[in-house]
Amino acid sequence: MQETPTELMLKGYGLTTAELFYRMPDYRNVLNSFVWQEYDLAPDHPKLFGFIEFWQDSIEGPLHSVRFTHRKMLSSGEWRHVVGEFHYH
């Protein structure tokens, strides 16, 4: 069973977005881009680096460069468990 994005964020994961620039296999002077997005752990980024290794091993278009950003959408101090609820007239 796959974890939901909220469960991942509570475990410290953040949304990582990467733009990979690669050369076309038949036209080496042409750069193309591919956008990848996944919940990952900073600062090691195991899923991002795993994807880059997969690309280098399995995809014919050699990588030119990778640009990425990481946004931790929920930190442990921002989450509170609320037990009660108040109703106003």
Side-chain angles (χ1 to χ4, degrees), residues 49-60:
F49 290 122
F51 180 75
I52 291 172
E53 287 178 19
F54 164 78
W55 184 287
Q56 291 173 332
D57 293 341
S58 305
I59 307 294
E60 289 185 27

Side-chain angles (χ1 to χ4, degrees), residues 33-50:
S33 67
F34 178 82
V35 176
W36 176 89
Q37 197 170 51
E38 185 69 51
Y39 287 97
D40 206 357
L41 285 170
D44 296 331
H45 300 287
K47 290 186 180 185
L48 174 61
F49 290 122

Side-chain angles (χ1 to χ4, degrees), residues 43-86:
D44 296 331
H45 300 287
K47 290 186 180 185
L48 174 61
F49 290 122
F51 180 75
I52 291 172
E53 287 178 19
F54 164 78
W55 184 287
Q56 291 173 332
D57 293 341
S58 305
I59 307 294
E60 289 185 27
L63 286 174
H64 174 269
S65 59
V66 177
R67 179 172 59 175
F68 73 95
T69 183
H70 178 82
R71 172 78 171 114
K72 195 170 185 181
M73 304 190 115
L74 181 70
S75 67
S76 59
E78 296 174 4
W79 180 263
R80 291 186 312 147
H81 178 70
V82 178
V83 179
E85 185 176 328
F86 294 100

